Amino acid sequence: MVVKSAFVIMAPDGDPSRHRSSVKTSKTEIITVVFEAMNFDQAVKVCRDLVQKEGVQVLFLCPGFTYEAVAQIAKAVDGKAAINVARGDVPNTTLTGEILTTAGFFSEE
């Protein structure tokens, strides 16, 4: 049996139809999908499709997911996949914010 996992992350220019990859061994497959930053409706659809259409059993969500978005995904996958959310401690979360800001992830509004 191959354990299928997916890492779902966001980027300002993310397009899940174009920005995805997969690595497979004899025992595991990890799919990475990048969706448009803060477009949680899109993320819910991506996660639902990964579970229902591609047989993903474990979802890993990036730290940018709100608790509300995680709840929407949990409802969408209906207990058919484990959901894990990456979270960091304060120093590393701060550092990540600095890195993303420097990379232009956030609008300058």
Side-chain angles (χ1 to χ4, degrees), residues 86-103:
R87 299 284 193 235
D89 60 8
V90 172
N92 286 294
T93 299
T94 301
L95 180 57
T96 299
E98 292 169 4
I99 292 166
L100 295 177
T101 298
T102 300

Side-chain angles (χ1 to χ4, degrees), residues 7 17 24 30-31 34 62 73 75 78 82 85 93 99 104 107:
F7 186 42
S17 67
K24 189 173 184 178
I30 181 79
I31 300 166
V34 184
C62 74
I73 290 168
K75 184 175 180 181
D78 194 29
V85 184
T93 299
I99 292 166
S107 65

Side-chain angles (χ1 to χ4, degrees), residues 33-83:
V33 181
V34 184
F35 70 98
E36 180 184 355
M38 305 310 287
N39 185 343
F40 293 118
D41 290 337
Q42 185 180 65
V44 169
K45 182 181 182 328
V46 164
C47 290
R48 182 185 315 113
D49 288 350
L50 284 166
V51 172
Q52 291 179 354
K53 296 178 180 178
E54 298 187 50
V56 166
Q57 302 156 297
V58 182
L59 294 167
F60 296 99
L61 309 178
C62 74
F65 276 86
T66 64
Y67 294 117
E68 292 83 6
V70 175
Q72 291 173 353
I73 290 168
K75 184 175 180 181
V77 303
D78 194 29
K80 294 181 175 56
I83 300 171

